[in-house]
Amino acid sequence: MHLNRILLSAVLTVVALVVQVSVLARLQLPGAVPDLLLLTVLALALVYGPTGGALVGFGAGLLADLAPPADHAVGRYALVLCVVGYAAGLTKPESGRHRSATVPMLVVAGAALSSTLLYAGVGALVGDTAARHVGLGVLLTTATVYDLLLAPFTVPAVMALARRTEHDPFAEAAGGSAADSPGGRGLLGTGGRLRGRAGGLGAARGGGGRRGGLLVRSPRSGTGRIKGVKRL
């Protein structure tokens, strides 16, 4: 991941975790707690793709495992958010943007259900039976409802911030300076004129074909050098 992606993901993750622990967890809502951290991971995964979503999910989950008042095994929520972030990133279209809000909302609903089930399943493996006492059906219903109600206020904003990190200003500046430089315009602009002169010399003189070939190859080599600079 790029440095700007890492910094933005770290800041958003910390802010989401602080708000969730200090505000949302104290609302005393029935059933589950609105998972702002999950929504942040989903929004970043929808922009960064499966690999970025998995990395962001693992880091966010590990931070939640270590932050007080966590009372579960370290790595449990990191595994859940890593899997959910990867799966959400697979829904990223080739164009990079979803045409409507239907797919992100479906991703939020599916992630709320799957993360609750996966968290309860991992807990059962390590001996945590808290989900049985609360009721798994109540947790699934309330988690989905709370996350769907909170998603329109958080997911679009996080996705808008994440899209700003998709552009590389240094690469764009380098490409623009190479294309707009006087030397670049001179080589590209005189290529056609040099070819025309080479053809005229070849037609007027019998021995001018070799000179024409040299003149034709020169612009091509210059153009290749300009393309290399743009790639850098």
Side-chain angles (χ1 to χ4, degrees):
M1 293 179 66
H2 300 293
L3 179 60
N4 50 2
R5 288 186 177 186
I6 296 175
L7 293 177
L8 178 63
S9 301
V11 171
L12 293 177
T13 298
V14 171
V15 172
L17 182 60
V18 171
V19 173
Q20 181 171 335
V21 172
S22 60
V23 178
L24 298 179
R26 298 185 179 184
L27 295 179
Q28 301 298 327
L29 296 174
V33 176
D35 201 340
L36 183 61
L37 189 62
L38 172 65
L39 296 178
T40 303
V41 171
L42 293 178
L44 294 174
L46 290 173
V47 178
Y48 294 158
T51 303
L55 293 176
V56 172
F58 180 80
L62 186 61
L63 183 62
D65 290 333
L66 297 175
D71 57 353
H72 55 267
V74 176
R76 180 177 172 184
Y77 203 45
L79 173 62
V80 172
L81 289 187
C82 180
V83 174
V84 172
Y86 181 83
L90 293 176
T91 64
K92 177 184 177 182
E94 295 182 357
S95 60
R97 294 196 177 191
H98 296 279
R99 296 182 179 180
S100 65
T102 304
V103 175
M105 294 301 290
L106 291 176
V107 170
V108 170
L113 293 172
S114 59
S115 61
T116 304
L117 288 174
L118 187 58
Y119 185 82
V122 175
L125 293 177
V126 297
D128 185 0
T129 59
R132 298 179 182 177
H133 302 288
V134 178
L136 187 58
V138 175
L139 288 177
L140 291 173
T141 303
T142 54
T144 305
V145 172
Y146 295 156
D147 291 345
L148 287 176
L149 291 177
L150 190 59
F153 303 99
T154 56
V155 174
V158 174
M159 292 180 67
L161 291 175
R163 287 194 182 102
R164 294 185 179 182
T165 62
E166 290 292 290
H167 304 285
D168 189 356
F170 299 102
E172 292 178 359
S177 61
D180 296 337
S181 62
R185 286 197 302 267
L187 288 173
L188 293 175
T190 57
R193 291 196 296 271
L194 289 175
R195 291 183 182 181
R197 292 176 183 176
L201 290 173
R205 299 178 182 179
R210 286 174 291 181
R211 295 182 181 178
L214 290 175
L215 290 174
V216 171
R217 285 193 294 270
S218 178
R220 291 181 180 176
S221 60
T223 305
R225 287 193 294 272
I226 294 175
K227 289 183 179 179
V229 172
K230 286 185 178 181
R231 292 194 188 98
L232 295 176

